[in-house]
Amino acid sequence: MNYTFQFGVLNDYGPYLAGGLWHAWWTSFPAIIFSTVLGVALAAMSMSRLWIARGASVVFVDLFRTLPVVVLLIWIHYVMPILTGVSLSPTMSSVIALSLNGAALACEAFRGGLEAIPQTQVQAAQSLGFSRWKVMRYITLPQAFFATLPSLTNVHITVIKNVTVTVLIAVPEVMFRAQELTVQFFRPLEFYTGAAVLYVALIWGYTILMRMLERLQKWQPI
Amino acid sequence: MATDLIATAATAPAAERQAFIRIRDVRKSYGAVPVLNGISLDVAEGEVLVLCGPSGCGKSTLLRCINGLETINSGDIAVDGRSVSAARTDELQKIRLSTGFVFQNFNLFPHMTALQNITIAPVKILGLSQRDATDRGRQLLERVGMAEKADVFPFQLSGGQRQRVAIARALAMEPTLMLFDEPTSALDPEMREEVLQVIRQVHHDHGMTMVVVTHEIGFARNVGSRAMLLDGGEIVEEAPARTFFASPTHERTRRFLRAIVNE
Ligand SMILES: Nc1ncnc2c1ncn2[C@@H]1O[C@H](COP(=O)(O)OP(=O)(O)OP(=O)(O)O)[C@@H](O)[C@H]1O
Ligand SMILES: [Mg+2]
């Protein structure tokens, strides 16, 4: 190995590289919110009595968890404008692509959590006069929420990691900036290592937040 | 006009008054497995019917059918003059408001405190204000001897305490009918009496109609007005509770009662 490390370049350009985290966060955070909300709705639909709601949920999930994120992103950013005449900013396209993919994954996580709630809980609520919707709203979903949190955290981590593919459409997040700086200074090791460290830090930070959320659960299943 | 109606109702012989629960030739199977093979049964208002039978004979299924939690294959079930078996989903929800169901395994909502378990349905279903529901909930907890445990989650309660909260939860809806599905059989013997005492008290205070699946003979004899044995999806024997336990006529009933006494 005859590469001489010059981490000094990070002194000069580290802040610029780290500034990419801002874009990474503001792409992944809305995508995390949308995918979670949409995932809950899809999971609820998958348990509906209406076949059309169940069908829509299955089609959505099977489509968007199979479509590679890169394909989805390129399609939304470059193909959709041709069809609709509406072009979106790179960040917007990225949020949509990551949300659709994340929603499919979140739906499966919630569905697992909902199906684990014993049927006797539903019966107890129904015997008190709860409608199917109110059973979901007040009994099964709140219980499934905490049971789903660990797998939901995994989904969110996947969403954050997927931000790196937005480099393809020039969202100025960390990977994009690392690439930009490397081309300029020929120091791939320093910049890409820096990018790796920044993403790991972001995801660890997020994981710690979610662990704190898990600790808010004061009850235990019986 | 109104006085006429009341006068007629008061003078009509008991048999002619419409039964509070009216079950006619009910059949229910799970897939190809028949569970209820033509059950017909009347329960008068204020009556306490004790339902006995070996494991798997369909006691829980019958209770769930009365509450419309299961759909039946044929026959008819009516509660307080309203058909359960022919009801649409929204009608069924209304009918269920006046029926309380107490389960063998309590089925408390684990994510809510004892008090929240009791107030959730009055608030979200009946539309009571949170404050009124809480006042009523605390009174109910008091009555089942659980006042100190209002803010405790179900996992922190013993089995007997859970069942008492579950009874309070059902009572919060002010039901006119209570269905008990083996309310004490999941409990250690020393906790059974505390729950049976609460049920006795509820019966004494409200005199509401009750169907109780239980093998607690002492309790059944004291509180029950009528008792019946269900076996093979049919009613084998039906008699006033005291007669049923003291001098059953069917050999099947005698064998069953011997078996549960020896347990
Ligand atoms: N959801 C279900 N699906 C299929 N079969 C069922 C279902 N529920 C009950 N059964 C079957 O129906 C029969 C009657 O069950 P049920 O629970 O009503 O009996 P039970 O008299 O309450 O018994 P136990 O004393 O054990 O509670 C049993 O053979 C049981 O296996
Ligand atoms: Mg049973």
Side-chain angles (χ1 to χ4, degrees):
Chain A
M1 214 175 79
N2 46 22
Y3 188 95
T4 27
F5 294 90
Q6 295 194 352
F7 280 107
V9 289
L10 286 178
N11 268 337
D12 301 333
Y13 296 97
Y16 177 70
L17 191 64
L21 274 183
W22 177 256
H23 291 272
W25 176 244
W26 284 111
T27 307
S28 52
F29 182 64
I32 282 171
I33 299 292
F34 289 141
S35 56
T36 305
V37 172
L38 200 53
V40 169
L42 287 162
M45 279 165 66
S46 78
M47 303 201 139
S48 166
R49 257 178 317 177
L50 302 173
W51 68 267
I52 192 138
R54 287 197 306 273
S57 170
V58 169
V59 169
F60 183 100
V61 170
D62 279 350
L63 180 63
F64 289 109
R65 74 173 172 189
T66 35
L67 261 181
V69 181
V70 173
V71 178
L72 184 59
L73 181 66
I74 302 277
W75 199 90
I76 289 171
H77 196 64
Y78 294 118
V79 183
M80 226 173 54
I82 304 173
L83 295 176
T84 62
V86 185
S87 55
L88 302 170
S89 73
T91 304
M92 279 264 253
S93 299
S94 304
V95 168
I96 293 174
L98 299 193
S99 300
L100 292 174
N101 176 262
L105 303 179
C107 169
E108 291 303 274
F110 279 116
R111 220 159 55 90
L114 281 172
E115 278 168 3
I117 308 293
Q119 197 55 31
T120 49
Q121 285 286 306
V122 177
Q123 282 185 359
Q126 282 182 338
S127 78
L128 291 165
F130 282 68
S131 64
R132 278 175 66 98
W133 159 245
K134 285 185 175 172
V135 173
M136 181 81 81
R137 165 78 182 74
Y138 297 111
I139 308 301
T140 44
L141 268 181
Q143 287 184 54
F145 178 75
F146 283 105
T148 308
L149 266 184
S151 39
L152 197 62
T153 304
N154 284 336
V155 172
H156 292 174
I157 288 174
T158 304
V159 171
I160 298 176
K161 285 178 180 170
N162 279 342
V163 170
T164 53
V165 310
T166 67
V167 73
L168 292 169
I169 60 171
V171 173
E173 49 69 63
V174 182
M175 274 307 277
F176 181 82
R177 292 187 175 185
Q179 201 174 52
E180 201 181 32
L181 292 166
T182 301
V183 169
Q184 227 175 322
F185 300 100
F186 306 107
R187 305 249 48 115
L189 195 140
E190 289 80 356
F191 289 125
Y192 284 123
T193 307
V197 169
L198 288 169
Y199 264 107
V200 167
L202 175 62
I203 289 172
W204 275 359
Y206 188 79
T207 311
I208 289 169
L209 272 179
M210 291 300 272
R211 293 258 160 79
M212 282 159 66
L213 196 56
E214 279 173 40
R215 272 202 222 110
L216 290 181
Q217 177 176 4
K218 294 199 178 61
W219 53 275
Q220 284 173 24
I222 42 172
Chain B
M1 178 69 187
T3 41
D4 281 358
L5 280 176
I6 291 166
T8 338
T11 49
E16 279 174 29
R17 251 180 276 157
Q18 209 187 21
F20 195 72
I21 307 176
R22 189 173 177 279
I23 300 177
R24 285 294 172 276
D25 199 28
V26 165
R27 285 165 199 278
K28 165 79 189 168
S29 51
Y30 289 109
V33 186
V35 178
L36 302 178
N37 301 316
I39 303 276
S40 295
L41 160 69
D42 282 334
V43 184
E45 192 160 2
E47 199 175 18
V48 177
L49 175 71
V50 174
L51 210 55
C52 303
S55 181
C57 71
K59 306 179 296 290
S60 302
T61 305
L62 182 59
L63 285 195
R64 286 201 300 269
C65 289
I66 294 175
N67 207 11
L69 293 170
E70 302 274 5
T71 50
I72 56 178
N73 299 107
S74 68
D76 186 61
I77 298 177
V79 174
D80 201 7
R82 292 182 293 188
S83 173
V84 174
S85 41
R88 290 193 317 266
T89 316
D90 55 328
E91 295 170 335
L92 204 49
Q93 277 153 22
K94 291 227 178 62
I95 297 174
R96 286 192 189 124
L97 293 182
S98 46
T99 305
F101 203 124
V102 175
F103 299 86
Q104 184 170 4
N105 292 307
F106 332 126
N107 298 353
L108 287 182
F109 305 130
H111 59 306
M112 297 177 188
T113 62
L115 184 60
Q116 288 167 340
N117 262 278
I118 297 171
T119 57
I120 178 91
V123 171
K124 301 299 178 191
I125 312 297
L126 297 182
L128 245 68
S129 73
Q130 188 66 51
R131 175 184 303 178
D132 289 349
T134 302
D135 286 349
R136 198 152 108 187
R138 288 197 187 278
Q139 282 169 19
L140 282 165
L141 281 174
E142 183 95 42
R143 276 187 36 203
V144 299
M146 294 286 294
E148 297 91 66
K149 302 286 184 182
D151 301 315
V152 157
F153 286 96
F155 81 94
Q156 296 159 306
L157 296 173
S158 74
Q161 293 174 327
R162 285 178 200 173
Q163 193 62 301
R164 286 188 276 154
V165 173
I167 293 171
R169 177 176 71 174
L171 290 177
M173 301 299 278
E174 303 189 327
T176 52
L177 167 66
M178 287 283 281
L179 306 172
F180 292 90
D181 188 1
E182 303 199 44
T184 57
S185 61
L187 300 176
D188 294 336
E190 61 270 25
M191 287 177 189
R192 291 186 180 159
E193 192 45 42
E194 69 187 47
V195 170
L196 293 176
Q197 189 48 43
V198 166
I199 301 176
R200 273 191 208 101
Q201 192 64 42
V202 169
H203 174 249
H204 178 263
D205 294 350
H206 299 265
M208 62 183 60
T209 315
M210 291 184 177
V211 180
V212 189
V213 175
T214 184
H215 294 161
E216 298 281 345
I217 295 184
F219 169 82
R221 235 191 329 230
N222 287 333
V223 180
S225 24
R226 231 168 6 127
M228 60 176 57
L229 179 78
L230 200 65
D231 194 13
E234 287 169 13
I235 296 170
V236 175
E237 176 158 1
E238 180 194 336
R242 280 170 196 282
T243 322
F244 181 91
F245 292 105
S247 49
T249 46
H250 288 69
E251 175 52 24
R252 181 73 194 89
T253 314
R254 280 196 286 268
R255 248 189 303 140
F256 175 77
L257 291 176
R258 267 201 305 276
I260 57 173
V261 167
N262 292 338
E263 245 171 31

